[in-house]
Amino acid sequence: MTKKITLSKLNGLLKDMEVEALEGVTIEGDIELEMDAIGGLNPQLAYMLGQETAQIAGHLINISQLLGYPVDQLLSKPVNDDKQRMIKPMELNRSTFQVNKMEEWTNEIQEVTLGASSSDGGTRKSIITVGGENALPYYFDSPMPHRNHITMDVFDMPIGMAKAVKSNYEDVMDSPAEWAKKNVNEFGADMVTIHLISTDPNIKDTSAKEAAETVADVLQAVDVPIVIGGSGNPEKDPEVLEKAAEIAQGERVLLASASLNLDYERIANAAKEYGHVVLSWTQLEINAQKELNRKLMKQCNVDREDIIMDPTTAALGYGLDYAYTNMERIRLAGLVGDDELNFPMSSGTTNAWGARESWMIDSPLKEDSDWGPREYRGPIWEIITGLTLALGGNDLFMMMHPASVAVLKEITKSLHGSLARDTVDISNWVTTKV
Amino acid sequence: MKINSPLEVYQYLPQTNCQECGELTCMAFASHLIDRSIKLEDCKPILEDAYKEKYQDLSELMAPEIAEVIIGVGEHAVTVGGDDVLYRHQLTFFNPPAFAVDVWDTMSQSDLIERVTFIKDYKKFYVGRFLTLDMIAIRSVSGDPDTFKHAVTLVMEHTELPLVLCSLDPAVLQAGLEVAAEKKPLLYAATKDNWQDVYDLVVEYNVPVVLFAPDELDTLKSLAITFIENGCKDLILDPGTNPQGRNLRESFENFIMIRRAGIKEGQKEIAFPLMAVPMTAYMTNDDPVSASYWETVLCGVFTVRYGDIMILHSIEPYALLPEMHIKDTVYTDPRTPVKVDSRVYKVGSPDKDSPVFVTTNFALTFYTVESDLASNEINCHLLAVDTDGLGVEAAVAGGQLTGKNIADDFKKSNFDFSDKTSHNIVIIPGLAARLQGDLEDTSGLNVMVGPPDSGRIPGWMEKNWDGK
């Protein structure tokens, strides 16, 4: 069993296909010649031998090695070639793909319902539930129980806004009720947000009582759930939101918002007393969000099912990286067990319109390529801002432009899996004629 | 990477603290290797023969979970893949997705040249640099090898950008390779039907290749294993980008599953860069604006979730701008400081009559203002107030931008108005208008309120600044 075999001999053998002619070698039992078995073959050798015979050669060598022939050593003459030549594979190495679900995601996101129907003490015809996820949005690990929802902005006075937005609302700007109706009836809003910005002492200083009447008008005009927003003035907002909460008693509105820089306890108490949900708003800081949520729950005794978070939205190109990652971290923390962060999230997606790319007629920089028509730039800026946050875990979107609303709905419903569309054969997209 | 503490890395380093790499100690170098802010090859001693084994071992241990694939040659070469984490806050994502905009071989010569020129020149200034497009994808629509070859030749005459050669017909791909191989283009694609012939091309021309198995992850993995076992390592995987409805959701799930398998479960045979084809939006939308919008949306989805290279069709600015920005958003290193130094900067060559502007030290705000001024050739001084990296509006609301802070930061920069200016005037941002009185009281300067957006400074200057 110490006989050596030479290349020329092996070649000769292969030519004849006389495998048995290997002197002194007895092959016992059934041995199948399979392609897979050539794994250990030196590819350079294989190339020298030629592809046709390579498989048999490979197997022969394997057998020979088993029997003690140092064939590999003998035959692996160096080949001076940068490109290592391979044998042409004849068949796919069939395999199956498998991946595990995330075991770490054990903590459900809180479900929160907005709007109350007559049976629950309100007058809303539609009710919306957000939250309830056990995975990142649209992941296969666990079905997402509720799709994303969109609430469209209404302001209690005419305000300056991007031209592309304004053209949709010029006829209703003087009437929040008409504005709200248009949002629901024409633009398909799931909800409306009434922003009581005129209450700011630096703007119109509208009284809380007067503002509450506007809220009543809006509730009268539409039967979807509503969000009530203050002016952002930390001194005035608690009073404004208290009065608004009172007039909307039983409607389960979202009160926007409680934050660390105002008397959040008053907002929380108003929500508790009149049966509403609190929006817990912090500025791009996960620990501040934890702190405020904790205070709302422990100090103010707000129930878990009455809290939604707004961790702040920054526009695409203007801090969206922070906003997105902040939301994704919050959602992941909630899923793995942080009970101070597992609440549904809301985004002021309208902030996208603050980006100059969304409204400026052209770039202020001479070096920039053409920015194209702003009528198309603005809505897509709002869409991509919202979409990014949707992927990071955001549930509810406060938005402005009807086209943005339509497209964001289409994509979030598609990813949610709740939108049937024709199957397109993409196997030959390369030849698409456009 | 298979190693996660500087101490483990340190065991493999020369441990001489020679400082050739610029770090004080080998341990400091090791910690930079762990956060991938330095390359192992920056350690010159470890490249010597004495450390050969340790170098090889460490290289292997430090290799990113997702393979890196290089397309093209020279300064325009694009690297894709290379990620180690599933979420950017866990480290950062590496190698932003390469955007390849398409041309096709049935275009007229002039249209083709115009389009290629547009793609290679398109740019958008952002935070101190330009966002640009990365590659050209050439699609064979004719199906004819010679026509394709002609188009490839023409494209190469007009751009150095790396190429993707797109056809499922190996004869067409070969025609393209005959003229473009030395530029190391990416081949698109090997499928379950053509893979043997495409494999031959990959080996013969030594180019990276996309494996395309729409909606069939088993087939995709089988193709990958077959190519790996036969010596091909420069692979990119395309599990298919369905443009709409539930099929789109399936494509989305496929991207997540493949990436999770690669990074979390260490399934090496599928740990390759992923290609998305947002261009499939054009297979369902007839209206060009809708198609372009939807393509942008798909590009957004797959930029956030694990696409490493994309084929795009629309060259409308309203599509390209958000696409380039979302790429930058997701791939910006979250570990990089977002502040600039708080001091007075010179823009252009200011003299005593030049205006003095104030902004904050948030990098995005600062660079935006600075570029608006520079681009419009406004010679001036610009103070970046230390607001702890907040923008103007937030810093005013939060009390980080006050009259006193502004006055103090001018002093810290030794900027004396009576010495440096002839006018004793400072211009504050429109969004900080309410600080006007405060700043006047604390500084004794004349305070003017500028526009709320620095893009409007040129117009504001015309009205309000007569060069006194």
Side-chain angles (χ1 to χ4, degrees):
Chain A
M1 303 295 263
T2 52
K3 233 176 181 180
K4 288 183 181 177
I5 188 164
T6 64
L7 177 60
S8 57
K9 255 191 185 172
L10 185 59
N11 265 332
L13 289 170
L14 290 165
K15 244 178 229 157
D16 299 334
M17 294 293 191
E18 293 285 338
V19 179
E20 304 85 357
L22 258 179
E23 275 183 287
V25 176
T26 343
I27 298 167
E28 290 181 334
D30 292 330
I31 297 171
E32 282 182 21
L33 293 185
E34 272 185 345
M35 193 194 135
D36 282 359
I38 66 164
L41 175 62
N42 180 325
Q44 292 169 339
L45 168 67
Y47 184 65
M48 288 192 302
L49 293 175
Q51 291 166 349
E52 301 292 308
T53 51
Q55 287 176 35
I56 302 165
H59 201 67
L60 245 183
I61 287 165
N62 284 343
I63 296 164
S64 307
Q65 278 174 330
L66 275 175
L67 297 172
Y69 292 99
V71 272
D72 199 34
Q73 234 175 326
L74 255 178
L75 295 177
S76 62
K77 289 183 185 164
V79 175
N80 186 18
D81 188 355
D82 293 349
K83 285 187 235 166
Q84 216 179 38
R85 304 304 298 260
M86 304 295 161
I87 340 157
K88 180 169 181 163
M90 303 301 286
E91 249 178 70
L92 265 192
N93 186 341
R94 284 279 162 202
S95 178
T96 52
F97 176 82
Q98 202 268 326
V99 72
N100 293 309
K101 290 187 174 180
M102 291 291 293
E103 285 170 11
E104 298 91 325
W105 293 343
T106 54
N107 200 35
E108 188 168 298
I109 303 305
Q110 177 68 47
E111 262 187 354
V112 176
T113 298
L114 294 167
S117 63
S118 56
S119 58
D120 291 313
T123 60
R124 303 298 92 193
K125 293 281 191 301
S126 67
I127 306 298
I128 281 165
T129 305
V130 290
E133 299 96 334
N134 287 284
L136 281 179
Y138 327 122
Y139 273 45
F140 61 95
D141 301 86
S142 171
M144 185 170 162
H146 309 290
R147 68 167 173 90
N148 306 87
H149 290 89
I150 295 174
T151 177
M152 289 181 74
D153 295 325
V154 172
F155 294 87
D156 68 345
M157 59 179 276
I159 58 155
M161 51 178 85
K163 202 176 159 198
V165 178
K166 198 174 188 173
S167 60
N168 296 287
Y169 300 110
E170 264 159 343
D171 54 334
V172 292
M173 267 213 206
D174 292 318
S175 164
E178 291 305 311
W179 193 337
K181 269 189 203 164
K182 190 169 189 183
N183 283 351
V184 175
N185 299 337
E186 285 185 37
F187 302 145
D190 298 312
M191 297 175 61
V192 294
T193 304
I194 173 69
H195 295 277
L196 303 169
I197 54 162
S198 75
T199 59
D200 189 324
N202 299 323
I203 298 178
K204 271 191 181 174
D205 204 13
T206 305
S207 71
K209 188 167 169 287
E210 210 179 315
E213 281 160 20
T214 305
V215 173
D217 290 346
V218 170
L219 282 166
Q220 192 75 42
V222 295
D223 55 18
V224 297
I226 71 164
V227 183
I228 301 174
S231 67
N233 183 301
E235 281 79 41
K236 184 83 177 279
D237 270 2
E239 182 197 347
V240 170
L241 292 177
E242 279 168 351
K243 280 273 178 261
E246 185 182 351
I247 210 154
Q249 179 160 21
E251 297 286 7
R252 222 176 147 65
V253 307
L254 178 61
L255 283 183
S257 35
S259 70
L260 289 166
N261 67 359
L262 54 62
D263 191 349
Y264 53 83
E265 197 161 4
R266 287 177 68 182
I267 316 286
N269 287 339
K272 281 194 298 181
E273 186 168 353
Y274 303 110
H276 303 306
V277 178
V278 179
L279 188 62
S280 168
W281 174 52
T282 56
Q283 285 172 293
L284 295 176
E285 167 50 44
I286 189 169
N287 292 313
Q289 188 69 59
K290 255 176 95 75
E291 181 190 344
L292 180 56
N293 293 353
R294 184 165 58 238
K295 285 181 164 158
L296 290 174
M297 287 189 289
K298 297 275 156 62
Q299 181 190 335
C300 309
N301 297 310
V302 178
D303 287 337
R304 290 185 56 84
E305 61 263 32
D306 297 336
I307 296 175
I308 292 178
M309 304 181 281
D310 178 355
T312 293
T313 291
L316 175 63
Y318 295 84
L320 180 61
D321 45 337
Y322 302 107
Y324 161 69
T325 281
N326 188 42
M327 277 193 172
E328 191 166 81
R329 286 183 66 193
I330 287 173
R331 177 50 50 92
L332 286 168
L335 289 171
V336 299
D338 191 328
D339 282 328
E340 288 171 348
L341 289 174
N342 62 335
F343 296 98
M345 290 189 281
S346 172
S347 150
T349 316
T350 301
N351 288 351
W353 290 95
R356 56 166 64 171
E357 286 81 353
S358 69
W359 58 267
M360 256 190 199
I361 199 149
D362 201 357
S363 174
L365 300 183
K366 297 190 181 77
E367 297 85 348
D368 271 3
S369 300
D370 186 12
W371 279 14
R374 62 174 164 176
E375 292 78 5
Y376 296 137
R377 236 190 291 130
I380 194 77
W381 221 261
E382 190 178 11
I383 294 164
I384 297 297
T385 300
L387 170 61
T388 307
L389 299 178
L391 292 162
N394 190 68
D395 299 275
L396 181 67
F397 297 86
M398 300 191 183
M399 298 179 70
M400 196 88 209
H401 196 286
S404 313
V405 170
V407 176
L408 193 75
K409 259 196 182 177
E410 176 87 10
I411 184 61
T412 52
K413 279 183 175 176
S414 302
L415 293 173
H416 182 248
S418 48
L419 200 60
R421 289 279 183 270
D422 291 344
T423 296
V424 179
D425 179 9
I426 56 167
S427 63
N428 204 6
W429 69 264
V430 169
T431 58
T432 307
K433 289 193 172 67
V434 279
Chain B
M1 54 179 94
K2 300 278 176 264
I3 199 165
N4 49 32
S5 92
L7 204 61
E8 286 175 76
V9 173
Y10 182 74
Q11 312 297 332
Y12 292 88
L13 297 176
Q15 306 180 7
T16 55
N17 298 336
C18 71
Q19 304 187 2
E20 264 191 75
C21 60
E23 297 299 321
L24 284 178
T25 62
C26 290
M27 189 57 97
F29 185 78
S31 65
H32 282 297
L33 281 178
I34 288 294
D35 67 23
R36 290 181 62 177
S37 58
I38 209 167
K39 278 197 188 111
L40 179 53
E41 287 70 22
D42 291 337
C43 173
K44 297 303 171 201
I46 206 172
L47 300 175
E48 290 163 12
D49 272 355
Y51 296 104
K52 198 173 172 188
E53 223 166 90
K54 289 198 162 177
Y55 169 70
Q56 277 169 355
D57 289 350
L58 190 54
S59 299
E60 224 160 90
L61 289 167
M62 308 261 343
E65 295 296 326
I66 303 301
E68 282 188 330
V69 174
I70 298 170
I71 306 156
V73 291
E75 59 167 330
H76 289 285
V78 168
T79 305
V80 296
D83 278 326
D84 264 323
V85 292
L86 288 171
Y87 312 105
R88 62 188 287 275
H89 70 269
Q90 293 172 329
L91 182 67
T92 182
F93 288 150
F94 294 92
N95 302 321
F99 287 172
V101 183
D102 81 323
V103 298
W104 52 100
D105 67 353
T106 49
M107 294 177 86
S108 76
Q109 180 153 333
S110 59
D111 286 355
L112 183 90
I113 293 169
E114 190 187 342
R115 193 170 162 92
V116 168
T117 307
F118 180 90
I119 295 165
K120 83 174 164 70
D121 290 341
Y122 200 82
K123 62 178 182 175
K124 160 86 163 53
F125 186 82
Y126 185 62
V127 198
R129 74 213 138 89
F130 283 99
L131 306 175
T132 56
L133 299 165
D134 308 294
M135 308 177 69
I136 308 264
I138 309 170
R139 297 187 294 121
S140 163
V141 172
S142 71
D144 174 53
D146 288 335
T147 308
F148 188 66
K149 189 188 245 178
H150 180 68
V152 175
T153 308
L154 208 54
V155 171
M156 287 171 61
E157 281 167 13
H158 289 88
T159 182
E160 293 288 320
L161 290 180
L163 307 177
V164 192
L165 306 181
C166 306
S167 172
L168 302 184
D169 180 350
V172 171
L173 289 178
Q174 172 148 18
L177 283 169
E178 281 165 8
V179 287
E182 67 184 36
K183 300 282 185 189
K184 213 177 169 194
L186 175 64
L187 283 196
Y188 187 98
T191 67
K192 64 180 175 188
D193 301 317
N194 72 7
W195 66 271
Q196 284 168 308
D197 292 331
V198 175
Y199 170 83
D200 281 348
L201 294 174
V202 170
V203 172
E204 184 177 349
Y205 292 97
N206 191 25
V207 287
V209 64
V210 181
L211 310 179
F212 176 43
D215 310 321
E216 292 181 27
L217 295 191
D218 289 349
T219 306
L220 192 61
K221 185 177 171 186
S222 303
L223 280 167
I225 290 178
T226 306
F227 273 67
I228 297 165
E229 285 184 347
N230 290 285
C232 299
K233 291 193 199 79
D234 292 335
L235 308 177
I236 289 172
L237 310 179
D238 179 1
T241 303
N242 285 295
Q244 62 185 11
R246 295 202 178 95
N247 299 315
L248 168 57
R249 181 188 159 98
E250 279 164 32
S251 296
F252 177 80
E253 288 179 350
N254 287 342
F255 274 70
I256 288 159
M257 286 197 264
I258 294 173
R259 188 50 48 96
R260 183 184 294 174
I263 286 182
K264 189 159 186 286
E265 301 187 4
Q267 297 187 30
K268 274 303 181 204
E269 61 276 18
I270 199 118
F272 290 96
L274 294 173
M275 175 183 274
V277 185
M279 197 198 141
T280 55
Y282 281 83
M283 301 176 87
T284 65
N285 291 282
D286 292 331
D287 164 58
V289 177
S290 304
S292 187
Y293 257 50
W294 198 247
E295 181 183 56
T296 309
V297 163
L298 295 180
C299 176
V301 168
F302 291 104
T303 298
V304 174
R305 292 290 180 227
Y306 310 136
D308 297 293
I309 176 170
M310 314 241 173
I311 310 265
L312 301 167
H313 175 72
S314 177
I315 55 167
E316 295 292 342
Y318 61 80
L320 296 177
L321 293 174
E323 285 166 352
M324 296 196 298
H325 272 288
I326 190 61
K327 163 160 98 167
D328 190 82
T329 295
V330 177
Y331 280 76
T332 290
D333 190 339
R335 303 166 300 174
T336 312
V338 295
K339 297 183 267 189
V340 298
D341 287 345
S342 169
R343 61 179 175 86
V344 178
Y345 292 79
K346 279 184 185 175
V347 181
S349 42
D351 57 26
K352 284 195 166 192
D353 296 331
S354 304
V356 181
F357 291 94
V358 170
T359 188
T360 81
N361 74 334
F362 178 37
L364 180 60
T365 305
F366 176 80
Y367 284 119
T368 304
V369 175
E370 196 243 15
S371 62
D372 285 342
L373 292 166
S375 163
N376 288 290
E377 289 156 21
I378 297 172
N379 295 315
C380 61
H381 298 280
L382 176 62
L383 170 68
V385 180
D386 182 4
T387 57
D388 218 14
L390 288 179
V392 174
E393 210 170 3
V396 170
Q400 291 87 355
L401 188 61
T402 63
K404 187 171 179 306
N405 287 355
I406 296 171
D408 284 352
D409 283 355
F410 271 121
K411 272 190 205 130
K412 278 183 203 155
S413 289
N414 295 318
F415 192 90
D416 181 355
F417 276 76
S418 58
D419 173 41
K420 299 265 169 62
T421 74
S422 60
H423 48 65
N424 219 35
I425 294 172
V426 60
I427 303 161
I428 62 173
L431 292 174
R434 69 168 80 160
L435 304 182
Q436 187 175 23
D438 184 19
L439 181 57
E440 275 171 358
D441 294 348
T442 49
S443 67
L445 297 167
N446 296 319
V447 180
M448 294 178 80
V449 177
D453 188 297
S454 59
R456 294 189 164 173
I457 288 177
W460 182 91
M461 291 277 288
E462 262 173 48
K463 269 194 205 154
N464 298 291
W465 193 265
D466 51 16
K468 58 184 169 165

